[in-house]
């Protein structure tokens, strides 16, 4: 088991290195010069020697390989570097913003499960009936509407017309817990709409499948109450695929909340990534992508280990 | 029975909704204005050009020797007066003012600030200009004498720029202590900035606000929603499509001016656009009204001459229709230049900003109608800037505001002898324009200056080193309770931050 874990760990580290290298290559290959952009704010023409000076100052005049080794060397010491824009530490910024995105994604998952699970079970129990068809149509609709449409509609209705919540923004939980949660609500709901639909559909399918199993029939034959059957025998068994699907989506959401963060002014890590790409802030882009992909790799590593624990055949395979 | 009970519960719940309002992002402190900015300022370095968001914040914190009055005229600021001693010597008399650390503003601070701008490795916007000064003298604490190598009529305009603030020479390293009306108290990177009134500001009774909370709203629709919902008191960069709704709302008011403009630049190093006739053909092929409608929802106006606003003393009414819509003339000019059967070219724009993209698409249609077939290249902004700086295009769509309302503010767009840049045509030199721009810079007599810039415009209409497309409306919107804030005229719209000192919120 230990040898297996070590092997997987090595593979994971290699993966992180590959990602770091790929990101470094890609960001340097795409056109656009951070020094030029930095000096050309607001449509003005910077002097070329000003650009040259700045490139020198930022170390961008070094050969690419030199920059690459400097970068890898920094990474090995846990140093993500500093923003080209204002010398701000990239690690600090990620440490500040990643929890906000995690919180947003977590809140969205909670809302999605809260609604998706019971409605999915309900749809399965009423399979083929009008209620099932209605819920399935709603889920299909929720899945096909893009998040920025949902987001904009929610802002229009909740913030602008009903004035129930502020139109967006962020306040630290420590500063004002109530306002923090109020501001979290709209973006979380926006992500939860699509995610909840996925949960509903997966739950429905899974429950339908479990309902056909022998142990459920046996329980029915024993005269166990319907509520108890659903709770104890159906839902519990039907949850496995739901958890898998939700976990997969959450991973994707880590870097995929860009639009929601933008629409609601939520200062998370996704919006930060987009801004960094736009200004070609190399250290920022590389740092964020590396952290997000490392989380992915780590999750995969854990899943691999978990499989090995569950199924010993994997260890020797 | 159960159904009616449920319905009652739902109705009761719905009725209680308005009382459940979650308090907004806005901390309603009396006398504090909440301002929705379009993006978080990338830098607050006083002398660097960090874009318009940075400039707006800089105008809260810093002041220079000179600034602009709300009507757009130059006004004394830290300098109470300035006079021309001889054609290469300007004398500035300082007034009694203090920096935000309580120290007096002296001529030594002015000299120090100018030296920082000119320093080795400085990223200051005016580095080249200040390096070109002969010397800076400080005869006494309150007098600064600036000697230039050549006569510079526009020196007061440089000094009025928001990239030219005077900073205390005793500022701690990495910090910049200014003499403006507001002190930066706190900032959360990417989210918000908190500013507090500076009680020692040299203008009695100002600033009127106790403070300003600046919140960055990158999404234009959210910025408008935040104003409608009362989260913010004032927003900048009002999207054109929202202007009607704001005007219609009695609780809000809109202050919009034609400030920035859209134009075309060319690659002058290769055919077909190294030929002035072809460039002129482009200028006459475009129906600007369509552009104003499509790209700016009617919020703007056609620009068929050089972008000098009609309110400027340098405006030349005789060139009003210099580049009027005349497709027949376009075709004739193309035929004269040897392109009777039309031509193919590439047009650079960006899909990142709607106004650049929409403008490019409308221009493409109009050019096709006279036989100029352009293929659009619309990468993201960063790539577009890089391609533009390297001249890898035939025509490009550009949008900006002039540096000032003085026509010298257009020099960076018209002078082809300057270094290659995406803001002006690539390698397109019109010698007469370069000569005249230099003459205008050295001329102190207003009448003669006007004549020089009139001639520049005449040459520009014929040679088309750039082609004007549209003025675009630049708007601020605010709650009716806000007063004293003014959108400054023309190119000075991005100087409107100066009026925060007189802004009040009821």
């Amino acid at each position: 088991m230990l040898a297996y874990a070590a092997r997987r760990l090595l593979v994971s580290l290699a993966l992180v290195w590959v990602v770091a290298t790929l990101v470094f290559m890609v960001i340097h290959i795409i056109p656009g010069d951070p020094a030029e952009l930095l000096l050309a704010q607001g449509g003005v023409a910077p002097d070329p020697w000003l650009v040259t000076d700045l490139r020198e100052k930022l170390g961008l005049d070094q050969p690419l390989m030199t920059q690459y080794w400097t970068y890898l060397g920094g990474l090995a010491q846990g140093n993500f570097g500093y923003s080209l824009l204002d010398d701000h530490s990239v690690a600090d910024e990620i440490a500040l913003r990643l929890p906000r995105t995690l919180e947003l994604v977590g809140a969205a998952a909670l809302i999605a499960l809260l609604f998706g699970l019971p409605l999915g079970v309900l749809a399965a129990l009423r399979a083929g009936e009008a209620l099932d068809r209605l819920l399935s149509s709603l889920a299909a609709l929720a899945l096909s509407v893009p998040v920025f449409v949902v987001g904009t509609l929610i802002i229009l209705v909740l913030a602008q017309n009903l004035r129930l919540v502020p139109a967006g923004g962020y306040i630290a939980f420590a500063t004002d817990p109530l306002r923090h949660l109020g501001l979290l609500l709209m973006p979380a709901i926006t992500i939860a709409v699509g995610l909840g639909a996925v949960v509903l559909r997966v739950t429905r399918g899974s429950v339908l499948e479990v309902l056909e199993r022998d142990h459920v029939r046996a329980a029915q034959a024993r005269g166990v109450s319907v509520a108890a059957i659903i709770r104890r025998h159906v839902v519990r068994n039907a949850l496995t695929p739901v958890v898998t699907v939700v976990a997969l989506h959450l991973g994707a959401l880590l870097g995929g909340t860009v639009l929601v963060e933008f629409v609601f002014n939520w200062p998370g890590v996704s919006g930060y990534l987009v801004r960094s790409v736009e200004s070609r802030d190399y250290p920022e882009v590389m740092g964020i992508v590396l952290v997000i992909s490392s989380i992915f790799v780590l999750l995969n590593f854990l899943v691999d280990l978990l499989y090995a624990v569950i199924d010993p055949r994997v260890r020797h395979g | 029975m159960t159904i009616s009970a449920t319905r009652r519960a739902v109705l009761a719940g719905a009725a209680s909704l308005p009382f459940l309002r979650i308090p907004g992002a806005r901390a309603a402190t009396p006398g504090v204005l909440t301002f929705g900015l379009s993006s978080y300022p990338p830098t607050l370095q006083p002398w660097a050009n960090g874009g318009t968001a940075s400039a707006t914040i800089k105008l809260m914190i810093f002041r220079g020797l000179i600034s602009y009055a709300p009507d757009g005229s130059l006004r004394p600021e830290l300098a109470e007066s300035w006079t021309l001693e001889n054609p290469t010597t300007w004398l500035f008399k300082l007034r009694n003012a203090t920096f935000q650390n309580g120290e007096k503003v002296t001529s030594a601070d002015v000299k120090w600030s100018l030296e920082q701008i000119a320093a080795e490795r400085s990223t200051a916007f005016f580095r080249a200009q200040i390096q070109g000064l002969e010397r800076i003298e400080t005869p006494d604490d309150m007098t600064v004498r600036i000697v230039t190598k050549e006569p510079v009529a526009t020196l007061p305009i440089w000094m009025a720029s928001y990239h030219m603030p005077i900073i205390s020479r005793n500022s701690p390293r990495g910090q910049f202590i200014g003499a403006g009306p507001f002190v930066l108290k706190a900032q959360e990177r990417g989210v918000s900035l908190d500013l507090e009134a500076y009680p020692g500001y040299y203008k009695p009774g100002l600033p009127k606000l106790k403070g300003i909370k600046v919140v960055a709203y990158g999404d234009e629709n959210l910025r408008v929603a935040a104003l409608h919902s009362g989260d913010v008191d004032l927003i900048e960069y009002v999207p054109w499509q929202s202007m009607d709704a704001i005007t219609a709302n009695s609780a809000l008011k809109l202050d919009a001016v034609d400030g920035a403009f859209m134009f075309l630049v060319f690659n002058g190093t290769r055919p077909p656009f190294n030929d002035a006739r072809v460039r002129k053909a482009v200028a006459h092929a475009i129906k600007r009204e369509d552009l104003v409608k499509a790209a700016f929802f009617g919020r703007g106006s056609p620009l068929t001459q050089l972008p000098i606003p009609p309110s400027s003393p340098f405006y030349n009414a005789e060139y009003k229709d210099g580049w009027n819509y005349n497709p027949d003339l376009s075709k004739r000019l193309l035929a004269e230049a040897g392109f009777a059967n039309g031509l193919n070219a590439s047009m650079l724009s960006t899909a990142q900003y709607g106004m650049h993209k929409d403008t490019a698409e409308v221009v493409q249609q109009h050019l096709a109608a006279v036989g100029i077939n352009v293929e659009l290249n619309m990468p993201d902004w960063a790539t577009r800037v890089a391609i533009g700086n390297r001249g890898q295009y035939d025509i490009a769509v550009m949008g900006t505001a002039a540096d000032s309302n003085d026509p010298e503010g257009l020099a960076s767009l018209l002078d082809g002898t300057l270094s290659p840049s995406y803001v002006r045509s690539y390698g397109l030199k019109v010698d007469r324009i370069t000569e005249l721009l230099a003459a205008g810079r050295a001329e102190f007599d207003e009448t003669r200056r006007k004549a020089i810039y009139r001639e520049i415009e005449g040459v520009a209409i014929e040679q088309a080193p750039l082609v004007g497309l549209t003025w675009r409306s630049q708007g601020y919107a605010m709650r009716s309770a806000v007063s004293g804030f003014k959108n400054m005229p023309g190119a000075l719209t991005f100087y409107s931050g100066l009026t925060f000192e007189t802004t009040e919120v009821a």
Side-chain angles (χ1 to χ4, degrees):
Chain A
M1 179 66 199
L2 212 61
Y4 172 78
R7 221 163 47 227
R8 299 307 310 169
L9 187 66
L10 269 182
V11 171
S12 300
L13 283 177
L15 264 178
V16 171
W17 170 73
V18 168
V19 169
T21 307
L22 272 180
V23 175
F24 181 88
M25 296 297 188
V26 170
I27 189 80
H28 281 88
I29 284 170
I30 54 170
D33 175 354
E36 244 170 44
L37 281 170
L38 202 59
L39 294 170
Q41 302 273 357
V44 300
D47 281 303
W49 42 278
L50 219 60
V51 177
T52 316
D53 271 13
L54 186 63
R55 288 180 61 86
E56 221 174 281
K57 195 163 143 190
L58 298 175
L60 298 169
D61 58 330
Q62 303 281 325
L64 206 59
M65 278 320 277
T66 315
Q67 291 187 49
Y68 175 65
W69 289 118
T70 314
Y71 164 62
L72 274 196
L75 277 189
Q77 298 165 29
N79 180 3
F80 285 104
Y82 299 89
S83 161
L84 298 182
L85 214 62
D86 60 0
D87 270 344
H88 195 85
S89 155
V90 173
D92 286 358
E93 195 66 20
I94 294 176
L96 185 71
R97 286 171 175 261
L98 187 63
R100 295 176 186 157
T101 296
L102 289 176
E103 184 193 4
L104 178 59
V105 170
L110 196 71
I111 298 173
L113 287 172
L114 223 55
F115 286 88
L117 270 182
L119 289 178
V121 173
L122 193 64
L125 294 179
R126 301 279 161 83
E129 294 176 23
L131 183 68
D132 174 38
R133 282 202 298 276
L134 177 72
L135 285 173
S136 295
S137 318
L138 282 179
L141 182 72
L143 266 178
S144 49
V145 183
V147 283
F148 56 87
V149 173
V150 178
T152 311
L153 274 177
I154 288 183
I155 291 175
L156 194 71
V157 175
L158 290 187
Q160 216 170 314
N161 292 349
L162 296 177
R163 298 202 171 191
L164 290 178
V165 286
Y170 178 83
I171 281 169
F173 187 79
T175 315
D176 189 337
L178 189 65
R179 288 219 314 253
H180 174 85
L181 293 177
L183 286 164
L184 174 65
L185 199 63
M186 281 200 299
I189 291 177
T190 305
I191 298 175
V193 167
L195 192 60
V198 172
V199 173
L200 190 153
R201 294 178 71 135
V202 176
T203 308
R204 178 184 177 274
S206 177
V207 167
L208 271 181
E209 195 247 335
V210 175
L211 278 176
E212 295 300 311
R213 288 201 197 149
D214 290 342
H215 71 270
V216 176
R217 294 194 181 175
Q220 273 173 320
R222 285 203 305 276
V224 182
S225 75
V226 177
I229 291 177
I230 292 170
R231 206 173 53 240
R232 243 183 283 151
H233 300 277
V234 178
V235 173
R236 204 174 258 199
N237 282 301
L239 270 183
T240 320
V242 178
V243 170
T244 313
V245 167
V246 169
L248 279 175
H249 270 83
L250 287 189
L253 277 176
L254 269 186
T257 51
V258 176
L259 287 172
V260 174
E261 285 187 7
F262 189 68
V263 167
F264 289 99
N265 235 14
W266 188 264
V269 80
S270 291
Y272 179 46
L273 177 60
V274 173
R275 225 189 53 194
S276 307
V277 172
E278 278 175 0
S279 57
R280 300 289 190 270
D281 200 327
Y282 298 155
E284 287 192 340
V285 176
M286 296 188 293
I288 303 163
V289 175
L290 197 67
V291 166
I292 292 178
S293 35
S294 298
I295 293 177
F296 262 100
V297 171
L298 183 73
L299 281 177
N300 266 306
F301 173 65
L302 292 179
V303 169
D304 281 349
L305 286 189
L306 205 63
Y307 280 164
V309 171
I310 296 167
D311 184 351
R313 279 174 302 178
V314 174
R315 273 178 254 168
H316 307 293
Chain B
M1 191 56 213
T2 33
I3 292 172
S4 68
T6 311
R7 186 183 294 157
R8 197 177 301 143
V10 168
L11 286 176
S16 67
L17 277 179
F19 304 104
L20 284 175
R21 184 174 198 279
I22 297 161
R26 170 184 156 75
T29 319
V32 174
L33 176 111
T34 310
F35 175 37
L37 203 61
S38 62
S39 68
Y40 191 82
T43 168
L44 291 180
Q45 214 280 349
W47 304 298
N49 184 345
T52 60
S54 295
T56 302
I57 306 298
K58 274 155 62 174
L59 288 173
M60 297 175 185
I61 308 171
F62 307 125
R63 282 293 179 268
L65 291 175
I66 302 176
S67 78
Y68 292 100
D71 67 354
S73 60
L74 287 175
R75 78 170 176 201
E77 198 68 40
L78 296 177
E80 62 181 12
S81 69
W82 63 95
T83 44
L84 185 69
E85 284 194 329
N86 63 60
T88 57
T89 308
W90 289 88
L91 193 74
F92 291 86
K93 281 275 175 203
L94 302 186
R95 74 167 79 236
N96 271 320
T98 59
F99 287 111
Q100 292 171 356
N101 60 5
E103 288 173 17
K104 220 169 148 229
V105 178
T106 66
S107 56
D109 296 298
V110 177
K111 187 167 195 278
W112 181 83
S113 296
L114 294 176
E115 282 166 359
Q116 302 310 303
I117 291 171
E120 199 57 24
R121 294 286 166 93
S122 134
T123 50
F125 185 64
F126 278 97
R127 180 174 159 192
Q129 286 89 332
I130 301 304
Q131 281 184 339
L133 296 180
E134 181 66 38
R135 60 181 185 277
I136 304 153
E137 294 170 3
T138 52
D140 63 57
D141 260 10
M142 303 306 273
T143 313
V144 183
R145 184 179 287 121
I146 296 178
V147 184
T148 59
K149 286 181 184 142
E150 271 145 27
V152 181
T154 50
L155 192 120
I157 292 169
W158 297 356
M159 293 300 160
S161 166
Y162 41 47
H163 302 311
M164 281 289 241
I166 302 305
I167 303 296
S168 165
R169 68 187 192 285
N170 295 323
S171 299
R173 208 179 152 67
Q175 277 185 50
F176 302 98
I177 295 173
F182 295 95
V183 188
L184 182 63
K185 279 288 163 190
Q187 52 179 323
E188 194 181 343
R189 197 167 175 264
V191 181
S192 62
L193 304 117
D194 283 295
L195 295 109
E196 218 172 67
Y198 169 50
Y201 186 51
Y202 76 87
K203 291 182 191 171
L206 298 183
K208 293 190 171 167
L209 290 169
K210 286 203 184 103
I212 304 176
K213 183 173 181 64
V214 182
V215 185
Y217 288 90
D219 184 77
E220 57 184 26
N221 295 316
L222 185 67
R223 199 156 64 242
V224 173
L227 180 70
H228 276 289
S229 68
D231 291 351
V232 299
D233 301 304
L234 171 74
I235 59 170
E236 63 158 6
Y237 266 98
V238 177
W240 300 284
Q241 67 273 20
S242 307
M243 288 185 172
D244 283 344
I246 287 168
T247 318
N249 187 336
S250 61
L252 305 175
K253 53 186 179 186
L254 176 74
D255 188 355
V257 300
D258 279 354
F261 51 88
M262 305 299 293
F263 59 104
L264 295 175
V265 295
F266 303 94
N267 187 337
T269 62
R270 62 186 189 208
F273 296 106
N274 56 358
D275 187 328
R277 289 170 297 187
V278 184
R279 298 194 296 269
K280 211 162 176 281
V282 169
H284 288 287
I286 300 154
K287 197 173 170 194
R288 272 81 170 173
E289 285 78 6
D290 289 1
L291 274 174
V292 175
K293 251 184 261 167
F296 302 106
F297 297 81
R299 296 285 180 164
S301 49
L303 174 60
T304 45
Q305 62 186 114
L306 281 188
I308 300 170
S311 58
S312 162
F314 292 90
Y315 178 73
N316 298 309
E318 68 260 44
Y319 295 121
K320 193 168 163 287
D321 294 316
W323 292 318
N324 63 340
Y325 176 57
N326 188 344
D328 292 332
L329 175 59
S330 290
K331 285 178 194 157
R332 219 158 47 235
L333 286 165
L334 283 174
E336 270 175 38
F339 297 102
N341 297 322
L343 61 91
N344 296 316
S346 72
M347 183 153 80
L348 179 64
S349 184
T350 176
Q352 192 171 326
Y353 301 114
M355 60 181 175
H356 284 258
K357 178 176 154 284
D358 297 343
T359 300
E361 284 166 356
V362 177
V363 168
Q364 182 190 33
Q365 286 170 26
H366 287 275
L367 291 184
V370 297
I372 301 174
N373 298 304
V374 297
E375 193 182 317
L376 294 181
N377 178 18
M378 301 208 275
D380 75 325
W381 177 250
T383 309
R384 185 247 172 274
V385 169
I387 293 178
N389 284 339
R390 284 155 193 71
Q392 295 157 340
Y393 64 90
D394 291 320
I395 315 182
V397 172
M398 222 356 242
T400 190
D403 294 343
S404 66
N405 275 343
D406 189 273
E408 166 64 12
L410 296 177
S412 67
L413 307 180
L414 288 174
D415 190 350
T417 58
L418 298 172
S419 59
S421 167
Y422 73 106
V423 305
R424 50 185 167 255
S425 286
Y426 185 77
L428 205 165
K429 298 184 177 76
V430 182
D431 296 339
R432 186 65 191 142
I433 289 184
T434 306
E435 284 165 31
L436 287 167
L437 282 170
R441 225 166 279 144
E443 180 58 68
F444 294 91
D445 181 81
E446 179 95 352
T447 320
R448 283 203 294 270
R449 272 196 92 207
K450 277 185 194 166
I452 290 170
Y453 288 108
R454 189 177 311 119
E455 192 184 340
I456 289 179
E457 181 153 22
V459 178
I461 295 288
E462 287 311 308
Q463 292 290 318
L466 65 81
V467 164
L469 293 176
T470 60
W471 289 102
R472 60 174 212 247
S473 186
Q474 199 68 37
Y476 290 84
M478 60 207 95
R479 295 198 299 123
S480 306
V482 176
S483 60
F485 182 87
K486 189 175 177 298
N487 195 349
M488 308 262 287
L492 295 176
T493 174
F494 297 118
Y495 280 84
S496 303
L498 278 169
T499 66
F500 275 114
E501 62 182 34
T502 52
T503 303
E504 283 178 274
V505 55

